[in-house]
Amino acid sequence: MSKGESNHQIKSTFPMQVPTAHLKQIRRNTITHEFNQNSPAQMLLVQESDDHLSEASQLLRQGIQQQQAGELLPALKLLKQSLEMFQVVADVQQQEQALSYLALVTYASGDYKSVISYCQQCLALKKDTPDLLIQMQALSHLGNAYRHLNDYEKAVEYLEKCLKITQKLQDKRSQVAALNNLGLVYKASGNFVRAIEYQEQSLEIVRELQDKWGIEQVLKNLGNTWYALDNYPKAIAYYEKCIKISRSLNNLRSAIQVLKNLGNACYAINDYAKAIIYYEERLQLARELKDKRSEEQSLGSLGVACEALGDYNKAIKYYEERLLLARTIKDRRIEEQTLASLKVACYALGDYAKAMQYQQ
């Protein structure tokens, strides 16, 4: 493991099953396929004279609205109800819609086995004129789910099929997603060179589209891949472009993550002064968002960077703030770790009396 890397790792795996009573959305680096930005009413063309079909369509609309609002558990229940009703009347088109949204909801919650089940059901539905958009979305979710389950061969297989459909449809936004997600698979499998090839293609297209949110995500993923290659100057270059966009979008959650990575990359090349600048900015954002975990991490990183510069007094200041926070959030592990750091810093200053105060 390279210098500074242990503090940088971004998790790419999540629980296989999430209890339905506690569904919550998981943030990740995947770009997911969504339906076109039409209203649910526009998308769902049904014969309103059929009461059963009308009720099923209403449930589907409500499920989509709940999904878009991030209310995953209500969305899941409504979508399942609508699917059952569409199956009764053998409406294949609406079954595809419901299954595609069920895949989206279960992917967002980290239930990858259910994602695979819904997508396979969706692809198994036969009609005279298959809906390429639905197929593309199902293949995308399948590829992403298999990546999280560490089955990279299947992930590549489905995402390559997805990419071909995006090219056939000349759907550039979906091409961006497919290329980005293929890059994530190759990065996860350790093929960093191939990952960068796909991510660079994705970046080129998303820049054509002038999609700042997409550009931000792809730049972050490129930075992560170069970091994994221990090419910290390249990683820093992409992260700095990314953080500039994060600031312009006021995307503070993304900025907090990227600033951590930037600080770690600068620390890895011994540019401790620059690392401190990024860690301090992250600390400020964490406090603004009342994100105690990111605040605690930032204080720890600042202490380590100040020690590396030989500024033990400042390191002790940050460690003491971290200790207070650890006790506030009742994190015994962080408390013990910080007490050990304080003891070392005090010994480095020759302040043995103070070091004794931090005996665990």
Side-chain angles (χ1 to χ4, degrees), residues 19 26 58 80 169 202 256 280 320 339 350:
I26 296 173
Q58 181 62 29
K80 281 182 176 179
L169 294 174
S202 182
I256 274 184
E280 283 181 337
E320 285 177 337
L339 284 167

PDB file of all heavy atoms in Angstrom, residues 19 26 58 80 169 202 256 280 320 339 350:
ATOM      1  N   PRO A  19     -32.110  -4.455   4.788  1.00  0.00           N
ATOM      2  CA  PRO A  19     -33.440  -4.711   5.340  1.00  0.00           C
ATOM      3  C   PRO A  19     -34.441  -3.676   4.844  1.00  0.00           C
ATOM      4  O   PRO A  19     -34.162  -2.481   4.877  1.00  0.00           O
ATOM      5  CB  PRO A  19     -33.224  -4.578   6.858  1.00  0.00           C
ATOM      6  CG  PRO A  19     -31.763  -4.810   7.053  1.00  0.00           C
ATOM      7  CD  PRO A  19     -31.090  -4.293   5.818  1.00  0.00           C
ATOM      8  N   ILE A  26     -27.568   4.978  -1.141  1.00  0.00           N
ATOM      9  CA  ILE A  26     -26.118   4.893  -0.995  1.00  0.00           C
ATOM     10  C   ILE A  26     -25.470   5.726  -2.099  1.00  0.00           C
ATOM     11  O   ILE A  26     -25.781   5.575  -3.269  1.00  0.00           O
ATOM     12  CB  ILE A  26     -25.645   3.429  -1.097  1.00  0.00           C
ATOM     13  CG1 ILE A  26     -26.226   2.624   0.069  1.00  0.00           C
ATOM     14  CG2 ILE A  26     -24.126   3.340  -1.104  1.00  0.00           C
ATOM     15  CD1 ILE A  26     -25.970   1.145  -0.025  1.00  0.00           C
ATOM     16  N   GLN A  58     -51.513   4.293 -11.766  1.00  0.00           N
ATOM     17  CA  GLN A  58     -51.438   5.293 -10.696  1.00  0.00           C
ATOM     18  C   GLN A  58     -50.402   4.894  -9.655  1.00  0.00           C
ATOM     19  O   GLN A  58     -49.615   5.718  -9.172  1.00  0.00           O
ATOM     20  CB  GLN A  58     -52.816   5.470 -10.049  1.00  0.00           C
ATOM     21  CG  GLN A  58     -52.859   6.503  -8.936  1.00  0.00           C
ATOM     22  CD  GLN A  58     -52.505   7.908  -9.407  1.00  0.00           C
ATOM     23  OE1 GLN A  58     -52.725   8.265 -10.569  1.00  0.00           O
ATOM     24  NE2 GLN A  58     -51.929   8.705  -8.519  1.00  0.00           N
ATOM     25  N   LYS A  80     -43.801  -2.587  -6.528  1.00  0.00           N
ATOM     26  CA  LYS A  80     -44.119  -4.016  -6.474  1.00  0.00           C
ATOM     27  C   LYS A  80     -45.602  -4.252  -6.692  1.00  0.00           C
ATOM     28  O   LYS A  80     -46.007  -5.178  -7.408  1.00  0.00           O
ATOM     29  CB  LYS A  80     -43.696  -4.604  -5.118  1.00  0.00           C
ATOM     30  CG  LYS A  80     -42.213  -4.902  -4.996  1.00  0.00           C
ATOM     31  CD  LYS A  80     -41.898  -5.518  -3.634  1.00  0.00           C
ATOM     32  CE  LYS A  80     -40.444  -5.915  -3.523  1.00  0.00           C
ATOM     33  NZ  LYS A  80     -40.134  -6.486  -2.189  1.00  0.00           N
ATOM     34  N   LEU A 169     -28.521   4.141 -30.412  1.00  0.00           N
ATOM     35  CA  LEU A 169     -29.521   5.189 -30.178  1.00  0.00           C
ATOM     36  C   LEU A 169     -28.940   6.591 -30.312  1.00  0.00           C
ATOM     37  O   LEU A 169     -29.688   7.572 -30.267  1.00  0.00           O
ATOM     38  CB  LEU A 169     -30.113   5.026 -28.772  1.00  0.00           C
ATOM     39  CG  LEU A 169     -30.942   3.768 -28.500  1.00  0.00           C
ATOM     40  CD1 LEU A 169     -31.322   3.703 -27.024  1.00  0.00           C
ATOM     41  CD2 LEU A 169     -32.191   3.748 -29.358  1.00  0.00           C
ATOM     42  N   SER A 202     -15.329   8.915 -21.805  1.00  0.00           N
ATOM     43  CA  SER A 202     -16.502   9.443 -21.123  1.00  0.00           C
ATOM     44  C   SER A 202     -16.363  10.945 -20.883  1.00  0.00           C
ATOM     45  O   SER A 202     -17.302  11.720 -21.106  1.00  0.00           O
ATOM     46  CB  SER A 202     -16.685   8.717 -19.786  1.00  0.00           C
ATOM     47  OG  SER A 202     -17.840   9.158 -19.121  1.00  0.00           O
ATOM     48  N   ILE A 256     -16.329  17.651  -0.208  1.00  0.00           N
ATOM     49  CA  ILE A 256     -15.739  17.086   1.013  1.00  0.00           C
ATOM     50  C   ILE A 256     -14.931  15.834   0.692  1.00  0.00           C
ATOM     51  O   ILE A 256     -13.831  15.631   1.216  1.00  0.00           O
ATOM     52  CB  ILE A 256     -16.845  16.778   2.045  1.00  0.00           C
ATOM     53  CG1 ILE A 256     -17.136  18.040   2.863  1.00  0.00           C
ATOM     54  CG2 ILE A 256     -16.456  15.650   2.980  1.00  0.00           C
ATOM     55  CD1 ILE A 256     -18.125  17.849   3.979  1.00  0.00           C
ATOM     56  N   GLU A 280      -7.790  21.803   5.571  1.00  0.00           N
ATOM     57  CA  GLU A 280      -8.457  22.881   6.295  1.00  0.00           C
ATOM     58  C   GLU A 280      -9.757  23.287   5.602  1.00  0.00           C
ATOM     59  O   GLU A 280     -10.759  23.578   6.257  1.00  0.00           O
ATOM     60  CB  GLU A 280      -7.521  24.085   6.429  1.00  0.00           C
ATOM     61  CG  GLU A 280      -6.454  23.878   7.503  1.00  0.00           C
ATOM     62  CD  GLU A 280      -5.529  25.063   7.661  1.00  0.00           C
ATOM     63  OE1 GLU A 280      -5.399  25.851   6.699  1.00  0.00           O
ATOM     64  OE2 GLU A 280      -4.922  25.200   8.751  1.00  0.00           O
ATOM     65  N   GLU A 320      -6.180  17.811  19.869  1.00  0.00           N
ATOM     66  CA  GLU A 320      -7.024  18.085  21.029  1.00  0.00           C
ATOM     67  C   GLU A 320      -8.474  18.348  20.604  1.00  0.00           C
ATOM     68  O   GLU A 320      -9.421  17.927  21.272  1.00  0.00           O
ATOM     69  CB  GLU A 320      -6.464  19.271  21.827  1.00  0.00           C
ATOM     70  CG  GLU A 320      -5.216  18.889  22.630  1.00  0.00           C
ATOM     71  CD  GLU A 320      -4.606  20.057  23.367  1.00  0.00           C
ATOM     72  OE1 GLU A 320      -4.835  21.216  22.957  1.00  0.00           O
ATOM     73  OE2 GLU A 320      -3.870  19.820  24.356  1.00  0.00           O
ATOM     74  N   LEU A 339      -5.509   9.966  21.536  1.00  0.00           N
ATOM     75  CA  LEU A 339      -4.681  10.037  22.746  1.00  0.00           C
ATOM     76  C   LEU A 339      -3.253   9.565  22.451  1.00  0.00           C
ATOM     77  O   LEU A 339      -2.281  10.188  22.910  1.00  0.00           O
ATOM     78  CB  LEU A 339      -5.296   9.178  23.856  1.00  0.00           C
ATOM     79  CG  LEU A 339      -6.525   9.770  24.562  1.00  0.00           C
ATOM     80  CD1 LEU A 339      -7.226   8.705  25.396  1.00  0.00           C
ATOM     81  CD2 LEU A 339      -6.129  10.963  25.430  1.00  0.00           C
ATOM     82  N   GLY A 350       9.231  17.334  23.647  1.00  0.00           N
ATOM     83  CA  GLY A 350       9.956  17.230  24.909  1.00  0.00           C
ATOM     84  C   GLY A 350       9.104  17.582  26.105  1.00  0.00           C
ATOM     85  O   GLY A 350       9.608  17.799  27.209  1.00  0.00           O
TER      86      GLY A 350
END
